[in-house]
Amino acid sequence: MERQRKIQAVVTRTSFKEAEEADDIFWANATEEERLRELISLRMMVFGSKNVKQRIQKVVTKRSLYEEETD
């Protein structure tokens, strides 16, 4: 007897081109402060810092199946 999951897993396949377009739109709408903060964070990851030890993190965005897509 299989139990029905309350939350169904949803995977969306996109092409690299679509992902790049979404990324470009995201950064075009980001403020200068947000872009600068992220640039500093990336520089710290690449060049390192004796005070800050950061790792790249996987980010997963959860949304409702009934929510309309904004793309």
Side-chain angles (χ1 to χ4, degrees):
M1 179 178 193
E2 289 187 36
R3 284 189 347 185
Q4 178 98 12
R5 290 179 58 145
K6 290 182 182 180
I7 301 173
Q8 295 297 320
V10 177
V11 177
T12 305
R13 297 180 83 181
T14 60
S15 68
F16 184 74
K17 181 180 178 183
E18 292 170 336
E20 281 291 306
E21 288 173 0
D23 193 46
D24 289 343
I25 291 169
F26 173 82
W27 287 111
N29 292 324
T31 65
E32 290 178 11
E33 183 179 336
E34 291 171 326
R35 291 187 295 227
L36 181 59
R37 196 176 321 123
E38 190 61 30
L39 177 62
I40 292 169
S41 172
L42 290 171
R43 287 179 59 97
M44 288 297 200
M45 282 185 224
V46 173
F47 298 113
S49 171
K50 294 178 182 166
N51 300 332
V52 179
K53 298 287 183 191
Q54 290 185 333
R55 295 183 142 193
I56 296 176
Q57 298 176 349
K58 180 178 180 180
V59 177
V60 177
T61 304
K62 295 181 182 179
R63 67 177 180 85
S64 169
L65 290 175
Y66 307 107
E67 188 177 308
E68 290 187 27
E69 285 194 40
T70 58
D71 297 334

